Amino acid sequence: MSKATPMTMSEPRMTTLDNGLRVISEDMPHLETASLGVWVDTGARNETKETNGISHLLEHMAFKGTKRRNAQQIAEEIENVGGHLNAYTSREQTAYFARVLKADVPLALDILADILQHSVFEGEELAREQAVVIQEIGQTKDTPDDLVFDYFQETAYPDQAMGRSILGTAEGVSGFGRDDLIGYMAQHYRAPRMILSAAGRIDHDALVAQAGEVLSALPAACEESPEAARYGGGDFREMRDLEQVHLLAGFAAVSYEDPDFYVAQVFSTLLGGGMSSRLFQEVREKRGLCYSVYSFASSYVDGGVFGVYAGTGEGDVAELVPAVCGEIAGMAGPIGEDEVARARAQLKAGLMMSLESPSSRCEQFGRQLLIFGRLLPTSEIVARVDAVDIAALNRFAERLLSETRPTLTAMGPIRHLESYDGFAARFASTATL
């Protein structure tokens, strides 16, 4: 009888290079592939009003040519070995990453190092990519269930970097020149603010040795403190000829380091995280008021937002808003232990499933090191999720409803949407309990 070989993973290993770049990896010897990437501690919140959108444009331009490779060569080299190369920009981070077969890790790292240090931002390529990003901005404007989130962020964080669109404006993006990109990269892409993360079939020592060669030109850190996030809240609504009203209602929430961070995650899962959630059961299943309804809890290094999205027909919005508000306010009241256990199980299952993906592991390492300065053991996360009880959820609900002015954004046929004062008043009695 054959004997199964256990699939084991080594503990993550971290090495800090002389220039301050942290290299972290985890070997998953049962895999034939690896994911690796560079996470940079900069994003839309590091921009000024004049440079809004430059982080995202820079991410696009990184693939458009270096001193050694043109845009076509970058694409062909990674795809010649069956690999994938991509990137994203968020409000607080920018990431560049690849997925390749284990033998092609050196190639992937060489390409990542090349685009992060030797991009040339050639004029014709820049003009073409500006046009592409402007098309992306236009597409968002034609996608109301995306655009309403931009309105929500701007209303929650008015007149500051945290409230501006990650994509920027068409006018702003079209005005950036090569020197703007070079200057922004030189200021923010510095070794101690960057993480090289890898997971899968990885040789840590070989990864560190190559990183020491190909990423040694990254400059040392400079002191930088982005503008603090200042939640404001309020109301924004736009009348549009659409089939549905797209609605977002929310409050200021908690940062990553807040003691209630995991409470917020369980709270959001219980309220609107799946088909068994309160919002889905009440608003969709029982009342049939919408197709899509869900909640979210987004954290930042110095704050966060909690919100509920729903899309509904013009004739149902008058019933939808009080129904959603009632479910949010109801979280300050009786909650069943079975509901809490189910929400905790959903979060823990999602965490455990992500551990099986090298791409997810790679991203977790990069994000955790930038946010917390350390890796969070799985056992610690599970313990903190398990510690969330009914009392903590009630307390968090009261905290949401009592501390901040709610945010309401809506677009579509909103003739029957109640006033902001009427909306806010729905939480007033709960806040004074």
Side-chain angles (χ1 to χ4, degrees), residues 46 144 315 413 421:
N46 297 84
D421 288 341

Side-chain angles (χ1 to χ4, degrees), residues 15-37:
T15 302
T16 302
L17 302 184
D18 291 341
N19 61 2
L21 177 74
R22 286 165 286 178
V23 181
I24 185 162
S25 75
E26 182 176 50
D27 185 25
M28 304 169 75
H30 56 285
L31 298 182
E32 294 297 318
T33 65
S35 295
L36 65 157

Side-chain angles (χ1 to χ4, degrees), residues 35-37 39 197-199 357-367:
S35 295
L36 65 157
W39 271 256
S197 177
S357 163
S359 296
S360 295
R361 296 290 284 164
C362 181
E363 181 167 18
Q364 285 174 12
F365 296 156
R367 285 172 50 80

Side-chain angles (χ1 to χ4, degrees), residues 254-271:
V254 297
S255 71
Y256 291 111
E257 297 279 11
D258 192 284
D260 278 339
F261 173 76
Y262 291 98
V263 181
Q265 304 307 308
V266 176
F267 182 96
S268 180
T269 302
L270 192 159
L271 179 65

Side-chain angles (χ1 to χ4, degrees), residues 28-209:
M28 304 169 75
H30 56 285
L31 298 182
E32 294 297 318
T33 65
S35 295
L36 65 157
V38 176
W39 271 256
V40 189
D41 190 19
T42 191
R45 75 171 304 173
N46 297 84
E47 301 166 351
T48 65
K49 185 177 181 180
E50 291 72 28
T51 61
N52 179 218
I54 198 170
S55 300
H56 177 253
L57 178 62
L58 177 58
E59 170 228 308
H60 275 242
M61 285 302 300
F63 300 99
K64 298 306 173 183
T66 70
K67 295 175 183 177
R68 294 166 47 202
R69 299 173 171 98
N70 61 32
Q72 183 174 347
Q73 289 170 327
I74 292 172
E76 287 180 348
E77 282 194 40
I78 197 72
E79 292 185 358
N80 282 345
V81 298
H84 303 278
L85 193 64
N86 212 333
Y88 68 78
T89 305
S90 69
R91 299 196 183 279
E92 296 188 311
Q93 297 172 357
T94 309
Y96 304 80
F97 48 92
R99 181 84 184 270
V100 291
L101 297 176
K102 62 184 180 182
D104 300 312
V105 168
L107 171 65
L109 178 54
D110 186 71
I111 293 175
L112 288 170
D114 196 19
I115 66 176
L116 288 169
Q117 296 172 109
H118 307 300
S119 289
V120 294
F121 309 122
E122 190 271 329
E124 289 187 6
E125 288 285 0
L126 176 57
R128 276 194 292 268
E129 208 57 28
Q130 284 169 316
V132 169
V133 173
I134 290 170
Q135 290 290 336
E136 187 177 356
I137 293 170
Q139 179 176 303
T140 298
K141 290 183 177 180
D142 288 339
T143 312
D145 50 344
D146 286 342
L147 186 57
V148 73
F149 277 85
D150 280 348
Y151 290 157
F152 179 84
Q153 194 74 20
E154 184 177 359
T155 305
Y157 294 100
D159 303 317
Q160 56 191 291
M162 189 60 84
R164 299 186 193 112
S165 166
I166 293 172
L167 301 181
T169 65
E171 181 181 7
V173 168
S174 64
F176 293 132
R178 179 174 183 272
D179 289 344
D180 297 316
L181 295 171
I182 292 173
Y184 186 84
M185 198 169 206
Q187 179 181 358
H188 298 285
Y189 282 53
R190 294 177 168 265
R193 298 169 57 85
M194 302 168 73
I195 308 292
L196 170 59
S197 177
R201 199 67 183 98
I202 290 290
D203 181 328
H204 181 78
D205 293 331
L207 185 72
V208 169

